[in-house]
Amino acid sequence: MISKQKPATLSCSGLPRYAIGDVHGRHFWKSFIKKDFKEFYFTGDYFDSYDIPFLKQYNNFTDICKVARADSRIRMCLGNHDYHYLNGIRNQFYSGYQDHNSKKICAVLEENIDLLRIVYVTEDKYIISHAGVTSWFLKSIGGVKPEDINSAFDVDRNILKFNGHNIYGDDITQSPIWVRPGSLESNYLPGYSQIVGHTPVRKITEKTSKDGTRIILIDTHNTESVYGF
């Protein structure tokens, strides 16, 4: 059983690491990227805004890719609102899907696919991903450690598909771009803390289990903030 705790900002090896939730075309990240940091993580969902025009979403994504290519400390996760545009993905049209711009989005995502990872794992065992990694999902792909998901995705992109077991994605069988906090809390990976976006929260929310496992929800939606750890 995981209980709510007050969000905390931690330091690591002198400089902080930062993680930012789903941007959906918003450029507020630019003010934070100017700070000094050890690592900077984007949790995905660069597209499919309801109020930001396509061209601004597109340019914002290319701007993020440019800074990531110039600075290896900047890491980018893949989100579900990016995934459904990729080559080889069929019958996956999530809310906000931009059919008339899908070819352009697909092209720019594929051009930068080498920058996009499903999960990142830090040396002190923080997993950063779009939605989180459940024990069930890792075992289902034959994985031993979270990073194995990246290798599995390179072989078969369809492992991340929305499986329909729960219309909201609140099921432990869902992938790291779809699982919801309730299922993640009930089937988390022991020994790892997780930082995730995907599910909007009013403010950064941290939950901690009895064994010290932490799950931090950082998709503050319209609130311009990052999580330091």
Side-chain angles (χ1 to χ4, degrees), residues 5-129:
Q5 278 194 350
K6 183 180 179 180
T9 299
L10 308 176
S11 62
C12 179
S13 303
L15 291 175
R17 293 170 299 203
Y18 293 113
I20 193 167
D22 312 11
V23 294
H24 288 295
R26 294 176 295 151
H27 56 76
F28 69 92
W29 59 270
K30 293 182 178 180
S31 63
F32 292 105
I33 211 79
K34 296 175 183 177
K35 298 177 182 289
D36 202 1
F37 54 83
K38 181 180 180 181
E39 295 156 354
F40 196 105
Y41 297 88
F42 289 85
T43 63
D45 275 9
Y46 309 98
F47 294 98
D48 294 353
S49 170
Y50 288 108
D51 56 4
I52 296 175
F54 163 70
L55 186 57
K56 288 188 176 181
Q57 296 176 48
Y58 184 94
N59 289 338
N60 190 58
F61 176 70
T62 59
D63 285 347
I64 294 172
C65 291
K66 286 176 184 177
V67 297
R69 290 198 180 282
D71 189 340
S72 61
R73 299 174 302 165
I74 299 170
R75 286 84 185 270
M76 301 170 63
C77 294
L78 182 77
N80 60 304
H81 285 281
D82 317 307
Y83 173 77
H84 58 182
Y85 294 107
L86 294 179
N87 286 330
I89 307 305
R90 299 287 182 268
N91 302 317
Q92 296 283 293
F93 305 108
Y94 312 142
S95 62
Y97 183 82
Q98 302 172 76
D99 184 61
H100 55 299
N101 293 313
S102 60
K103 290 184 179 179
K104 292 180 180 178
I105 297 174
C106 176
V108 75
L109 284 168
E110 293 292 351
E111 181 182 343
N112 293 285
I113 197 67
D114 60 303
L115 293 174
L116 298 166
R117 295 287 180 272
I118 312 309
V119 301
Y120 289 94
V121 183
T122 67
E123 69 276 6
D124 49 348
K125 293 192 173 182
Y126 277 89
I127 298 172
I128 300 95
S129 67

